[in-house]
Amino acid sequence: MSGLVWSDALANELAPMDETHREFVDCYNAVASAPADQLLPAFDALIAHTEAHFGLENRWMEAVDFPGCHRAEHDRVLAVMHDIRRRVAAGDTFFCKRLVEELPAWFRNHVDGMDAALAFHLQSIGFDFDTGTLPAAAADRTPAPAAACTHAG
């Protein structure tokens, strides 16, 4: 298992995003280290965090009409998590163990790619995280360029 440790390498220099990513790392590590009798509650906490985390990023993208397939990737990850959750609840932990093995590489790639692009765009247009809106001057700017959706993961 490769594990997941928060470091500056995962930071996108956007405080609200970095904070939710730190929380994701903590939730992931709780699942990775959970004894069998605590796996389902730990996994439920990871899913709940991930739903809120992705929901936050999705709202930011909607607010600025951010193009690309970032939201679709969030939807795919959540669908996998919910499927695995049903399996764990039924006593099958195989796919949960596989997810624990694969999630760190996916997360690092997602943070360095899709999330970094979103963070850069939000910062460059002066997005107001307190109100979840654009300043009036930024609303007239050209939208962000479309990103290719070739992420394997």
Side-chain angles (χ1 to χ4, degrees), residues 52-117:
H53 167 173
F54 288 175
L56 179 62
E57 290 181 8
N58 290 345
R59 285 189 301 280
W60 294 339
M61 289 185 283
E62 289 167 11
V64 300
D65 197 25
F66 193 76
C69 56
H70 195 155
R71 183 181 186 120
E73 182 161 320
H74 287 168
D75 293 345
R76 282 190 299 274
V77 169
L78 283 172
V80 168
M81 286 181 156
H82 284 287
D83 179 58
I84 291 171
R85 197 256 179 233
R86 285 187 291 279
R87 293 169 188 264
V88 171
D92 180 0
T93 62
F94 175 80
F95 289 105
C96 189
K97 290 175 186 173
R98 290 291 298 141
L99 183 67
V100 166
E101 292 170 1
E102 299 297 328
L103 207 50
W106 172 84
F107 183 70
R108 286 187 288 267
N109 188 38
H110 185 79
V111 167
D112 287 344
M114 291 185 173
D115 285 347

Side-chain angles (χ1 to χ4, degrees), residues 24-39:
F24 181 89
V25 168
D26 291 343
C27 289
Y28 163 83
N29 285 322
V31 172
S33 64
D37 65 331
Q38 291 300 306
L39 182 60

Side-chain angles (χ1 to χ4, degrees), residues 2-56:
S2 58
L4 192 53
V5 176
W6 178 259
S7 71
D8 287 344
L10 291 172
N12 281 322
E13 305 304 322
L14 186 62
M17 183 181 281
D18 290 343
E19 181 58 32
T20 196
H21 288 166
R22 277 188 208 92
E23 292 168 5
F24 181 89
V25 168
D26 291 343
C27 289
Y28 163 83
N29 285 322
V31 172
S33 64
D37 65 331
Q38 291 300 306
L39 182 60
L40 189 57
F43 195 56
D44 283 344
L46 175 63
I47 291 171
H49 163 82
T50 304
E51 289 172 339
H53 167 173
F54 288 175
L56 179 62

